[in-house]
Amino acid sequence: MGKRTAKKGARQAPLTADRLREGWQGPAHTRIRLARPTDAEGADALLHTSGDGVRIIPVLRGAIEDGTAASALLDGLDRGTKAFHTAAGHAFSSLGSGEAMTRVCLTLVAADEQDHVVGALSVTAPGTVITMAEKHGYSPERALALSLFIAKVHALAVAEPARGQGIASTLLKRAWQVYQQLGYFLLYGSFEADRDLGAFYTRHGYTVLGPGESFSLERVTLPFRLAAGDDQRVFTRFRPRR
């Protein structure tokens, strides 16, 4: 009897914290997994080489190094969305806002056969959205809670020798899988308008806006629009309506 194959469109098995830590076999003999304390320096240096010249947010790098980053996400993957919200709420009430938000940030790496970081993706809490919500009258606590539903693709980079093999695509796919399982409504980010990245994000289900163009947050019941500068293009991916 031949092997049974999964039907196209079949639902994926839910992720677990152990699976995220252990990772998956990725393209070009890499391992796609959650960043470990020993990955922080390499991931930070790699992200800095991207066209945007970004770094891992310092408080997040510290959380990666001490093993507390993404802890609320890990709770949620093992015990469900309610546990995720409880863990994040505890962090929001007991820690400073910067440190608390590291618990819902996701840093993934692609490690080669020597365990060197050759790809990195940093997804963070939506700082701009939180700031704008406060300006529109949201309490700091209510604004911070938006981190449970919206996340920002802060940076994505692959080392030059490893490019063109699907590593960036796999990092982006796994990040979406994590946040979708935890009930997020929106992932968004931006890139420099002179970089040819629109087709890449479009292929992965994101809507790419024109330079300086804004988008409405009405779908997540926020009464304002979000935009980057005239030299930036925003990309968005909303959770499908059911």
Side-chain angles (χ1 to χ4, degrees):
M1 183 180 293
K3 292 182 179 179
R4 295 181 65 184
T5 56
K7 293 182 180 180
K8 187 176 180 180
R11 298 187 68 178
Q12 293 178 310
L15 298 180
T16 64
D18 283 345
R19 169 52 69 192
L20 185 59
R21 292 188 185 100
E22 178 187 344
W24 304 262
Q25 189 64 45
H29 306 289
T30 59
R31 192 103 191 140
I32 308 296
R33 56 171 173 75
L34 183 68
R36 299 168 182 166
T38 52
D39 297 322
E41 182 176 358
D44 192 24
L46 180 57
L47 291 175
H48 191 53
T49 68
S50 71
D52 296 324
V54 298
R55 308 296 291 252
I56 295 176
I57 296 169
V59 68
L60 176 55
R61 174 168 170 169
I64 295 169
E65 291 172 336
D66 68 23
T68 59
S71 59
L73 300 178
L74 293 169
D75 276 356
L77 292 178
D78 271 350
R79 299 189 289 123
T81 303
K82 184 176 180 180
F84 165 56
H85 290 173
T86 298
H90 177 71
F92 294 161
S93 64
S94 61
L95 302 171
S97 61
E99 187 179 358
M101 286 190 287
T102 68
R103 276 43 174 181
V104 299
C105 294
L106 179 67
T107 306
L108 297 179
V109 300
D112 67 13
E113 292 177 295
Q114 289 73 45
D115 211 30
H116 297 148
V117 175
V118 296
L121 171 64
S122 178
V123 185
T124 64
T128 301
V129 175
I130 291 169
T131 298
M132 292 185 68
E134 290 183 351
K135 289 180 178 178
H136 280 76
Y138 282 58
S139 68
E141 295 77 17
R142 188 180 175 201
L144 192 58
L146 296 172
S147 300
L148 305 180
F149 306 100
I150 302 171
K152 180 180 180 181
V153 178
H154 176 69
L156 172 60
V158 176
E160 189 169 356
R163 292 175 187 169
Q165 301 181 79
I167 291 173
S169 294
T170 306
L171 288 166
L172 198 61
K173 172 187 173 183
R174 291 303 183 185
W176 174 256
Q177 191 177 357
V178 170
Y179 283 105
Q180 185 178 52
Q181 182 169 318
L182 293 174
Y184 274 65
F185 296 125
L186 168 66
L187 261 66
Y188 76 97
S190 65
F191 57 88
E192 293 174 338
D194 59 358
R195 299 182 68 198
D196 188 20
L197 293 174
F200 169 77
Y201 285 106
T202 299
R203 278 200 311 274
H204 293 87
Y206 290 80
T207 299
V208 179
L209 308 182
E213 189 177 350
S214 67
F215 70 98
S216 171
L217 288 164
E218 288 182 357
R219 285 180 62 178
V220 288
T221 67
L222 292 173
F224 51 84
R225 301 179 68 86
L226 196 64
D230 291 340
D231 61 343
Q232 298 278 313
R233 298 183 68 183
V234 172
F235 55 91
T236 67
R237 186 174 181 181
F238 286 89
R239 184 173 186 161
R241 290 190 173 100
R242 293 181 178 176

